[in-house]
């Protein structure tokens, strides 16, 4: 079922006049980022990025500012040229594309949303949304029809003839999203689209985006510095630090199995109630020694992929431990109150 | 008291003051604390500064203090010098002596004439002698008055010197405290005493004071002091050489210059046909309606009044010639200026190279480049237009380049991400976003064209400028005023229409 839409293999970006020399030195001697800066005066933007994104997936890239996530996403449509490595989008080797093919790729297949919207202030909302189609040489009638549809998708009917500066930040970003959708691309690149918005609007836009995404099934690379956002939105998350990908995994993987201290620090403050499931905290039923007054036959039973939030609901209705069943309906584990509380606390038994 | 580390009490400031002043740190710590404790002017006295004045400033690295008091003390010293040994009545005294000599000569003459028996001649000579005597007496009185002023000047000089010293004494610490604050922010500021600085200060002082005192106190200073000891031995050959160069260029590239002239003339002729040959009611109507449509009713009314002024005083045709001149210059400025500006905006290196040329075009006085223009292009309207272009093109280039550079990178990046070609990027994103700046440039260029019209008339460009030039030559105040106002109205009509057009466009958007 799955098919990789985006494939990155060993992509490096080194900024500076002596980038090629630095690259060679890195490959031969394995220099670190500060060593490269010292020796060549070059800054390592991203280092050895390898990952692939499946069709229809929302792939979040999370990292602090300066971790290279925005640089990385700009490689996917070659706004930035990599120093080394290979990039494949929709089965095409991006680095082999000539100017005309690259423009076509950008205009037809890859949409992009920017943190600071980057709308054209002298054009109405309608003309902003229709801009990618205008670039492709579509006639006005087609442009207007499509931009109308896209504006409807983001709930901006009635604002077609306004100018961007008349709209609030959240509305402007929805125009940005509509513009990215206008050319009906298979791939969406979103560079911190909601970071500049206030928390309430951000949440609204996240919900709207997820609804849209479920409907349109676009393959999306979503950049954010907010782990909560990444967990809410992403099917998988890549965590970046100093230009390197530290960990790639599902939100649950990341939260329950942080790869290193850096990721652990991030995960610390995250609520695990919806991310941790019964099977990762339960005790094996064979190892479980019932306490006095406990009778597992009277226990409520629930599937192994029940999340903590739901387990709490169940636990409040009974004095018995909870018995966990596997997908075949067989009893495999037990969770009593103390296991549950530990699980809430640490995500692991 | 325990050190919380939070409160940087007076102690820690003290130590940094000590680090800054190096010598006398106790004294300066106290004085600085006093200054910092006051909100108004703090009366803090520094005896050394009062005594040594500028030299103290040099020693402590206060060059502002050094130069200010160098000049003030010098002024006081010149007065003292003049009072002491300046020969104040010298010129009057010399006159008196000369006149006395003449009187004696005339009296001698009279005596001789009397001996010869020429009574009338003797009387005349005596008469002259009497007049000369009066003049001599006047001169002597003036000389005496002048030398008696010497004492006053001396006293004034001394009082001035004392005042300056007092100011130095009271100002020194205040100034030094400011320097201390600068040093806290920028550690490269000089700290403590610097003997090299003091030596340099003394050198300046010794170079400046004695010569200046000599020049102002001695009645006949040596020519070496009063004028630079050089004649025209370098100037003339260089000027001749340049002249030869111009002549050579004019001959070698004659065809190029002719081509340029012809091109300008073509534009100019076209505009003159439109503005001058078209019946005046048509032109007026078109201008007023344009003003109304582009800039609104108020500008239209103003334009109508201004045009009526031109017509009523019989300046219509000259004005239209002027506007044609201006239009040709402005058109050519924009035709070359905007693309150049766009190019410079995209290529910073080219702009860096062009910048001195633009500065040169703008700052070189117009009269200077009129000379080579006459040499290459002769006189008449096209050279006038060319001179105007040189003067008026830089603003539109600069402001276009500025506008291009101010287009946000993010917006350009977004356009590229949607597959824009370079041309699409330029026409859809960069130029529209740079438009406010470009419009300002266009406006400035047009107004600068107008201000050049008078100067261009010097080389026969005609129009209202010629009227003003004529008025200037014959001191015809009325004519000059009327023609001047006509230029002003032309400028204002054009400016208001463009401004109004732009304001409307941005206002409604």
């Amino acid at each position: 079922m799955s098919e990789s839409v985006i494939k990155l293999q060993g992509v490096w970006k080194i900024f500076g006049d002596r980038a090629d020399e630095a690259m060679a030195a890195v490959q031969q001697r394995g220099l670190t980022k500060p060593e490269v800066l010292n020796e060549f005066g070059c800054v390592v933007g991203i280092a050895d990025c390898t990952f692939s994104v499946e069709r229809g997936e929302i792939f979040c890239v999370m990292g602090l500012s300066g971790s290279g996530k925005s640089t990385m996403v700009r490689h996917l449509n070659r706004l930035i040229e990599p120093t080394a490595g290979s990039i494949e989008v929709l089965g095409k080797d991006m680095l082999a594309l000539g100017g005309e093919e690259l423009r076509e790729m950008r205009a037809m297949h890859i949409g992009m949303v920017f943190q600071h919207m980057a709308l054209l202030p002298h054009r109405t909302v309608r003309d902003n949304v229709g801009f990618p189609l205008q670039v492709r040489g579509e006639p006005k009638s087609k442009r207007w029809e499509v931009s109308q549809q896209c504006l409807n998708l983001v709930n901006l009917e009635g604002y077609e003839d306004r100018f961007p500066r008349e709209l609030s930040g959240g509305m402007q970003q929805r125009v940005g999203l509509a513009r990215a959708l206008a050319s009906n691309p298979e791939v969406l690149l979103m560079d911190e689209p909601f970071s500049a918005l206030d928390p309430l609007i951000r949440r609204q836009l996240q919900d709207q985006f997820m609804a849209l995404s479920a409907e349109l099934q676009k393959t999306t690379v979503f950049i954010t510095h907010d782990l909560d956002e990444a967990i809410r939105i992403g099917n998988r998350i890549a965590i970046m630090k100093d230009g390197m990908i530290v960990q790639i995994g599902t939100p649950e993987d990341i939260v329950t199995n942080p790869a290193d201290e850096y990721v652990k620090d991030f995960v610390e403050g995250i609520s695990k109630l919806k991310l941790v499931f019964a099977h990762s905290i339960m005790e094996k039923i064979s190892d479980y020694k019932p306490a006095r007054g406990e009778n597992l036959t009277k226990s409520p039973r629930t599937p192994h992929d029940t999340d903590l939030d739901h387990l709490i609901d169940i636990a409040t209705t009974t004095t018995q431990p909870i018995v966990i069943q596997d997908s075949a309906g067989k009893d495999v584990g037990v969770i009593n109150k103390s296991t549950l509380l530990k699980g809430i606390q640490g995500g692991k038994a | 008291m325990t050190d919380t580390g939070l409160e940087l009490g007076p102690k820690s400031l003290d130590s940094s003051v000590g680090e800054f002043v190096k010598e006398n740190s106790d004294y300066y710590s106290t004085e600085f604390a006093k200054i910092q404790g006051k909100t108004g002017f703090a009366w803090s006295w520094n005896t050394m500064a009062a005594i040594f004045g500028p030299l103290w400033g040099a020693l402590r690295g206060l060059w502002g203090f050094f130069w200010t008091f160098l000049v003030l003390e010098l002024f006081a010293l010149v007065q003292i010098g003049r009072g002491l040994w300046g020969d104040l009545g010298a010129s009057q005294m010399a006159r008196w002596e000369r006149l006395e000599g003449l009187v004696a000569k005339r009296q001698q003459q009279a005596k001789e004439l009397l001996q010869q028996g020429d009574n009338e001649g003797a009387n005349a000579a005596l008469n002259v002698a009497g007049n000369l005597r009066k003049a001599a007496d006047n001169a002597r009185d003036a000389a005496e008055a002048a030398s008696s002023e010497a004492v006053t000047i001396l006293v004034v000089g001394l009082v001035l010197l004392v005042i300056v010293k007092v100011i130095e004494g009271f100002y020194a610490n205040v100034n030094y405290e400011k320097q201390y604050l600068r040093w806290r922010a920028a550690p490269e500021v000089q700290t403590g005493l610097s003997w090299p600085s003091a030596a340099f200060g003394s050198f300046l002082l010794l170079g400046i004071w004695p010569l200046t005192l000599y020049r102002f106190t001695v009645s006949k200073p040596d020519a070496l002091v009063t004028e630079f000891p050089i004649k025209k031995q370098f100037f003339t050959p260089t000027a001749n050489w340049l002249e030869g160069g111009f002549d050579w260029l004019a001959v070698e590239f004659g065809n190029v210059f002719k081509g340029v002239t012809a091109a300008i003339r073509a534009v100019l002729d076209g505009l003159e046909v439109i503005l001058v040959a078209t019946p005046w009611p048509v032109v007026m109507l078109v201008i007023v309606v344009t003003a109304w449509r582009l800039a609104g009713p108020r500008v239209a009314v103003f334009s109508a009044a201004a045009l009526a002024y031109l017509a009523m005083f019989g300046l219509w045709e000259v004005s239209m010639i002027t506007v044609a001149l201006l239009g040709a210059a402005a058109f050519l400025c924009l035709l070359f200026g905007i693309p150049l500006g766009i190019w410079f905006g995209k290529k910073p290196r080219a702009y860096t190279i062009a910048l001195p040329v633009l500065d040169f075009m703008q700052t070189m006085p117009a009269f200077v480049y009129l000379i080579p223009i006459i040499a290459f292009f002769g006189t008449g309207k096209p050279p006038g237009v060319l001179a105007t272009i040189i003067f008026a093109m830089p603003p539109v280039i600069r402001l276009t380049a500025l506008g291009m550079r101010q287009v946000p990178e993010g917006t350009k990046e977004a356009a590229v991400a949607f597959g824009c070609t370079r041309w699409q990027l330029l026409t859809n994103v960069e130029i529209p976003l740079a438009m406010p700046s470009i419009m300002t440039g266009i406006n400035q260029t047009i107004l600068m064209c107008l201000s050049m019209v008078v100067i261009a008339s010097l080389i026969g460009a005609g129009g209202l400028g010629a009227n003003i030039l004529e008025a200037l030559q014959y001191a015809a105040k009325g004519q000059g005023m009327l023609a001047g106002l006509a230029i002003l109205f032309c400028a204002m009509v054009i400016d208001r229409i463009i401004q109004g057009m732009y304001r409307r466009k941005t206002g409604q958007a």
Side-chain angles (χ1 to χ4, degrees):
Chain A
M1 149 224 154
S2 65
E3 165 207 358
S4 289
V5 172
I6 299 171
K7 267 191 229 163
L8 260 74
Q9 187 67 48
V11 174
W12 286 79
K13 176 67 192 179
I14 298 177
F15 294 102
D17 296 333
R18 300 168 64 195
D20 290 333
E21 283 174 69
M23 189 66 238
V26 165
Q27 275 163 347
Q28 282 159 18
R29 292 184 277 148
L31 299 184
T32 63
K33 198 171 172 172
E35 283 169 348
V36 172
L37 185 62
N38 245 335
E39 201 169 320
F40 297 95
C42 293
V43 176
V44 178
I46 60 174
D48 200 17
C49 274
T50 303
F51 64 85
S52 59
V53 183
E54 311 301 310
R55 182 172 290 282
E57 185 181 25
I58 299 181
F59 186 80
C60 280
V61 179
M62 210 277 320
L64 298 180
S65 32
S67 62
K69 53 197 191 309
S70 287
T71 309
M72 201 274 296
V73 77
R74 278 166 175 69
H75 282 79
L76 302 180
N77 56 358
R78 253 179 81 191
L79 286 176
I80 297 177
E81 300 282 336
T83 314
S86 73
I87 300 167
E88 205 176 281
V89 177
L90 294 164
K92 282 194 183 146
D93 180 2
M94 287 299 280
L95 302 180
L97 296 183
E100 189 53 45
E101 292 168 296
L102 179 62
R103 274 198 295 279
E104 194 196 301
M105 194 74 184
R106 287 169 176 168
M108 313 280 283
H109 305 294
I110 306 177
M112 191 160 180
V113 181
F114 297 85
Q115 181 180 4
H116 296 294
M117 295 88 170
L119 301 176
L120 299 175
H122 61 287
R123 287 167 164 248
T124 59
V125 166
R126 191 202 308 280
D127 286 337
N128 261 295
V129 175
F131 184 64
L133 298 173
Q134 186 190 351
V135 168
R136 268 156 53 174
E138 304 280 1
K140 230 176 232 176
S141 55
K142 170 87 195 267
R143 263 150 48 194
W144 286 11
E145 191 191 317
V146 172
S147 59
Q148 192 65 57
Q149 287 167 4
C150 292
L151 285 168
N152 290 351
L153 279 178
V154 297
N155 297 338
L156 272 180
E157 305 91 342
Y159 290 94
E160 298 85 357
D161 294 313
R162 300 294 184 83
F163 283 88
R165 65 169 168 279
E166 297 174 274
L167 270 53
S168 69
M171 285 156 102
Q172 287 187 26
Q173 194 53 287
R174 284 190 283 173
V175 176
L177 184 56
R179 176 176 64 176
L181 295 173
S183 53
N184 194 21
E186 288 97 321
V187 175
L188 263 185
L189 305 179
M190 311 205 34
D191 182 17
E192 301 206 36
F194 307 141
S195 299
L197 307 174
D198 59 73
L200 214 65
I201 304 286
R202 190 186 310 168
R203 213 170 166 83
Q204 277 176 16
L205 281 189
Q206 286 167 358
D207 291 340
Q208 199 172 12
F209 171 70
M210 285 194 294
L212 257 180
S213 189
E215 185 185 332
L216 300 174
Q217 289 291 314
K218 305 271 182 214
T219 308
T220 306
V221 176
F222 191 106
I223 307 295
T224 176
H225 60 236
D226 179 359
L227 188 59
D228 277 315
E229 185 170 75
I231 286 170
R232 252 169 87 74
I233 289 180
N235 298 120
R236 279 192 305 149
I237 299 173
I239 295 192
M240 284 188 81
K241 183 197 176 193
D242 292 341
M244 277 182 290
I245 293 182
V246 185
Q247 187 175 7
I248 299 182
T250 61
E252 193 197 1
D253 277 347
I254 302 267
V255 170
T256 53
N257 277 313
D260 61 7
E261 286 300 312
Y262 179 75
V263 183
K264 206 170 184 175
D265 276 351
F266 269 119
V267 171
E268 210 95 275
I270 295 296
S271 161
K272 285 131 191 136
L273 296 183
K274 303 248 184 215
L275 292 168
V276 177
F277 302 99
H279 57 73
S280 54
I281 63 165
M282 68 186 186
E283 275 179 67
K284 274 190 187 153
I285 197 154
S286 49
D287 298 346
Y288 189 75
K289 297 188 181 68
R292 212 148 52 94
E294 282 184 357
N295 185 350
L296 291 184
T297 51
K298 289 184 187 162
S299 289
R301 278 164 168 71
T302 182
H304 67 99
D305 57 354
T306 313
D307 64 24
L308 289 181
D309 202 28
H310 200 203
L311 284 172
I312 294 171
D313 288 341
I314 300 171
T316 51
T317 60
T318 173
T319 54
Q320 298 293 339
I322 304 165
V323 172
I324 309 300
Q325 298 179 314
D326 67 7
S327 29
K330 193 173 154 242
D331 293 350
V332 285
V334 181
I335 294 177
N336 63 14
K337 292 241 162 71
S338 66
T339 330
L340 180 58
L341 287 172
K342 281 274 179 206
I344 294 166
Q345 195 178 35
K348 273 181 106 174
Chain B
M1 204 179 86
T2 52
D3 187 7
T4 55
L6 283 174
E7 195 176 338
L8 288 172
K11 258 268 168 307
S12 84
L13 269 179
D14 271 5
S15 70
S16 91
V17 169
E19 209 181 304
F20 172 64
V21 301
K22 298 263 177 20
E23 308 284 325
N24 272 342
S25 58
D26 288 344
Y27 166 74
Y28 281 110
S29 296
T30 328
E31 293 301 318
F32 283 7
K34 201 158 101 189
I35 291 167
Q36 286 157 357
K38 281 264 174 59
T39 48
F41 187 83
W43 296 97
S44 159
W45 175 256
N46 187 331
T47 316
M48 282 320 212
I51 294 172
F52 290 103
L55 281 180
W56 176 86
L59 183 64
R60 287 284 181 183
L62 297 170
W63 291 102
F65 185 94
F66 172 79
W67 283 110
T68 313
F69 290 107
L70 176 101
V71 171
L72 289 177
E73 285 197 9
L74 179 59
F75 183 70
L77 287 176
V78 165
Q79 303 314 317
I80 294 170
R82 287 209 313 157
L84 277 182
W85 61 78
D87 214 352
L88 285 175
S91 61
Q92 292 296 342
M93 216 48 155
R95 186 173 144 82
W96 175 70
E97 271 167 21
R98 204 178 66 242
L99 288 169
E100 278 294 314
L102 284 175
V103 168
K105 212 164 123 196
R106 288 288 174 184
Q107 281 172 338
Q108 183 65 34
Q109 204 178 8
K111 217 180 269 172
E112 280 167 14
L113 284 170
L114 205 61
Q115 278 168 3
Q116 286 163 17
D118 185 353
N119 267 338
E120 242 168 63
N123 274 339
L126 278 177
N127 228 349
V128 172
N131 287 338
L132 284 172
R133 157 79 54 199
K134 262 183 220 155
D137 287 348
N138 282 343
R140 198 189 53 216
D141 289 346
E144 273 165 7
S147 40
S148 74
E149 263 175 37
V151 181
T152 323
I153 291 176
L154 176 65
V155 172
V156 167
L158 283 171
V159 171
L160 269 178
L161 188 64
V162 171
I163 293 175
V164 171
K165 290 285 177 194
V166 169
I167 295 176
E168 280 168 2
F170 279 116
Y171 182 59
N173 286 343
V174 175
N175 195 344
Y176 201 38
E177 194 260 350
K178 279 195 186 124
Q179 182 87 340
Y180 161 68
L181 294 181
R182 264 199 296 281
W183 166 75
R184 285 179 69 105
E188 68 272 12
V189 170
Q190 180 198 318
T191 59
L193 309 176
S194 162
W195 293 108
S197 289
F200 183 56
S202 316
F203 167 74
L204 288 172
L205 208 69
L206 289 176
I208 292 170
W209 277 8
L211 270 182
T212 318
L213 280 171
Y214 173 69
R215 170 70 179 88
F216 284 109
T217 53
V218 175
S219 58
K220 280 204 192 71
D222 196 275
L224 263 181
V225 180
T226 51
E227 57 189 283
F228 201 81
I230 202 160
K231 300 281 178 295
K232 290 226 162 189
Q233 62 261 48
F234 298 123
F235 183 84
T236 321
T238 315
N240 285 341
W241 179 80
L242 279 173
E243 194 145 331
F246 278 126
D247 289 346
W248 179 80
L249 277 175
V251 175
E252 279 308 293
F253 295 98
N255 286 331
V256 178
F257 297 136
K258 266 186 205 141
V260 173
T261 312
I264 294 175
R265 190 179 293 285
V267 176
L268 198 57
D269 285 349
L271 277 168
E272 279 197 356
V273 167
I274 295 171
L275 287 166
V276 182
T278 314
W280 61 267
V282 178
V283 178
M284 269 194 190
L285 196 68
V286 169
I287 294 178
V288 173
V289 171
T290 313
W292 188 25
R293 297 305 303 163
L294 291 182
R298 289 167 79 180
V299 177
V301 170
F302 173 76
S303 305
L307 294 178
Y309 171 91
L310 300 180
M312 295 299 280
F313 289 104
L315 295 168
W316 178 258
E317 197 178 330
V318 226
S319 300
M320 286 306 114
I321 292 175
T322 309
V323 174
L325 213 61
L326 151 86
F331 171 75
L332 291 169
C333 276
L334 303 185
L335 186 70
F336 295 105
I338 292 179
L340 272 176
I342 289 172
W343 185 53
F344 290 153
K346 300 199 103 181
K347 299 271 184 288
R349 198 168 293 168
Y351 190 55
T352 331
I353 296 169
L355 214 51
V357 179
L358 293 181
D359 287 338
F360 180 81
M361 284 162 78
Q362 254 183 321
T363 48
M364 192 79 172
F367 287 100
V368 178
Y369 55 70
L370 285 183
I371 300 164
I373 283 182
I374 292 174
F376 298 145
F377 299 95
T379 56
K381 282 178 187 172
V385 169
L386 199 69
T388 311
I389 290 175
I390 293 177
F391 180 67
M393 190 142 68
V396 75
I397 297 180
R398 273 176 210 273
L399 284 158
T400 305
L402 177 74
M404 293 294 289
R405 273 180 292 147
Q406 280 175 342
V407 175
E409 280 303 319
T411 314
K412 284 193 265 183
E413 188 185 42
V416 173
F418 289 113
C420 270
T421 59
R422 286 167 59 135
W423 177 250
Q424 283 171 328
L425 181 68
L426 187 69
T427 53
N428 286 309
V429 180
E430 288 177 310
I431 291 181
L433 264 65
M435 214 52 204
S437 188
I438 297 178
M439 286 302 291
T440 315
I442 291 176
N443 201 26
Q444 285 210 10
T445 285
I446 290 175
L447 294 184
M448 285 182 81
C449 283
L450 254 176
S451 71
M452 260 305 274
V453 162
V454 180
I455 294 172
S457 71
L458 279 173
I459 54 172
L464 284 167
N467 286 28
I468 288 178
L469 194 65
E470 204 179 281
L472 194 66
Q473 275 158 351
Y474 300 113
K477 300 173 270 298
Q479 182 191 341
M481 205 62 213
L482 288 180
L485 280 176
I487 291 191
L488 177 72
F489 284 135
C490 288
M492 281 176 78
V493 167
I494 296 169
D495 179 49
R496 286 301 128 90
I497 292 179
I498 294 175
Q499 294 261 346
M501 177 177 89
Y502 192 66
R503 210 172 297 131
R504 281 205 142 194
K505 206 178 144 205
T506 48
Q508 77 183 13

